[in-house]
Amino acid sequence: MITTTINKQEEIRLTAVRWFEFMIKGDVEKLCAMTDPGWIINGGLPGLPPGPAGIRTLFENVGPVKQQWMINDIIAERDKVVVRATNRSIQDIFLEFKDHECRQVSSAIFIHKIINGKVVETWRNADDLGGAAGK
């Protein structure tokens, strides 16, 4: 029983890491393949449609960004994985404001509910405003 639980925790932990890697690379189709049709995000861009359509809409709205994420912590418990990470990014658009090469260092916490290898729901809490460092 304990071995089965440990293996399940490692499986959902690895799913969260792959999700993160695909997000960093901007590999929308691989993210969509890992996303449940009913997926929703709490604390993300408002009005996203559920499922893979929400992933596609999210990437369409972010705009060009060069990002370097570092995972600080990962904790897996039952069907949830918590990822605490730091992002260093340079983007041309920040919160709908055009500013060529806006540099930002921010922290974020993602909690993913993962069932049968698919991300079903995501909770996001990020320092979107505190990290903008300008040019």
Side-chain angles (χ1 to χ4, degrees), residues 86-126:
T86 303
N87 182 15
R88 296 179 181 278
S89 66
I90 301 172
Q91 52 195 118
D92 290 336
I93 299 171
F94 177 69
L95 297 176
E96 298 183 9
F97 296 101
K98 292 183 180 182
D99 182 14
H100 185 65
E101 293 192 0
C102 178
R103 297 175 190 277
Q104 182 177 11
V105 177
S106 60
S107 60
I109 295 174
F110 299 89
I111 303 171
H112 299 291
K113 183 174 184 177
I114 299 171
I115 298 175
N116 297 325
K118 299 272 188 178
V119 179
V120 175
E121 189 167 4
T122 300
W123 293 264
R124 175 186 172 275
N125 189 344

Side-chain angles (χ1 to χ4, degrees), residues 64-93:
V65 60
K66 296 174 192 167
Q67 54 187 346
Q68 181 180 20
W69 282 92
M70 182 175 77
I71 295 176
N72 305 108
D73 293 299
I74 295 182
I75 302 165
E77 179 79 23
R78 296 187 198 105
D79 62 357
K80 293 191 180 72
V81 180
V82 178
V83 179
R84 185 179 69 86
T86 303
N87 182 15
R88 296 179 181 278
S89 66
I90 301 172
Q91 52 195 118
D92 290 336
I93 299 171

